[in-house]
Amino acid sequence: MSYRYKLPRLPSAAYRLLSLLLALCFLLTGCGGRWRTTLVRPDGSEAVISQATWRELEKFVDEDRKAVKNKTLLLERVLYQHGHYLVETLVVTGADGATRTFDWTADTASATWQKDGALTIGGETLRAARIEGRPPALADAVT
C-alpha cells in the first residue's frame, strides 16, 4: 500500500498574492539601485548622468577595457562626451556635501565610473552627487 502525501490547497487569492510578490521581487532586484550625478558642462549648464546615460555609453566598455579590466567606463570618456576636452582640475561633491578636488594626473586620467554609479579615482571609491571639470587657466587664452 502506498501513501501519497497531498499538499494542502491554498485559495486562489493566496496564489495570486504570492505570484505578485515574486514578480515584484524580481522587478526590484533586476532594476538595481537608481543613481544620479550632476555633471557641470564647460559652458556651465548641467547634465544628469544616470543609469540610462551609463547604458548609452556602455558600448565603449569593451573599447575602454583595454585600459580597465572590469565593466567600467573611463571617467575621461564621460567627461569628453559632455564637452570636457581639457581638464586640469576635477571637483567632486559627495551626497553629504563634502567636496574633493583632484588635479588631473595619471590617477585621475585612469579614473573609472562603475555601473552602480560609484567613481574610482586613485584607488578611492566615491559616490558623487556633482562633478565639475575645470579647464586649465590658460585654455581661454589659446586662439
Side-chain angles (χ1 to χ4, degrees):
M1 192 191 282
S2 67
Y3 291 100
R4 289 181 81 185
Y5 180 76
K6 290 187 177 182
L7 293 173
R9 291 183 86 34
L10 295 173
S12 62
Y15 282 118
R16 279 187 249 136
L17 180 62
L18 181 61
S19 298
L20 180 65
L21 287 174
L22 284 173
L24 186 61
C25 286
F26 284 121
L27 286 174
L28 291 175
T29 58
C31 294
R34 298 197 183 274
W35 57 269
R36 293 168 52 122
T37 301
T38 301
L39 176 65
V40 180
R41 292 186 176 120
D43 64 2
S45 65
E46 296 180 348
V48 174
I49 308 298
S50 65
Q51 286 176 314
T53 311
W54 203 98
R55 280 192 296 271
E56 289 170 14
L57 295 172
E58 192 170 18
K59 61 187 172 197
F60 296 112
V61 167
D62 288 334
E63 197 173 306
D64 290 348
R65 192 173 289 168
K66 294 171 188 165
V68 182
K69 301 293 183 215
N70 52 16
K71 215 164 167 65
T72 60
L73 286 170
L74 290 174
L75 176 59
E76 181 178 21
R77 179 166 312 273
V78 179
L79 293 171
Y80 187 84
Q81 291 292 116
H82 289 86
H84 288 282
Y85 305 123
L86 291 172
V87 176
E88 181 177 55
T89 307
L90 190 67
V91 180
V92 179
T93 305
D96 59 356
T99 301
R100 300 277 314 271
T101 303
F102 298 92
D103 290 330
W104 197 262
T105 62
D107 284 341
T108 315
S110 63
T112 58
W113 205 321
Q114 296 152 14
K115 197 170 191 170
D116 66 356
L119 294 174
T120 302
I121 302 174
E124 185 178 349
T125 301
L126 309 165
R127 293 277 176 192
R130 181 180 173 90
I131 298 173
E132 184 178 353
R134 296 183 181 157
L138 297 177
D140 293 333
V142 176
T143 56

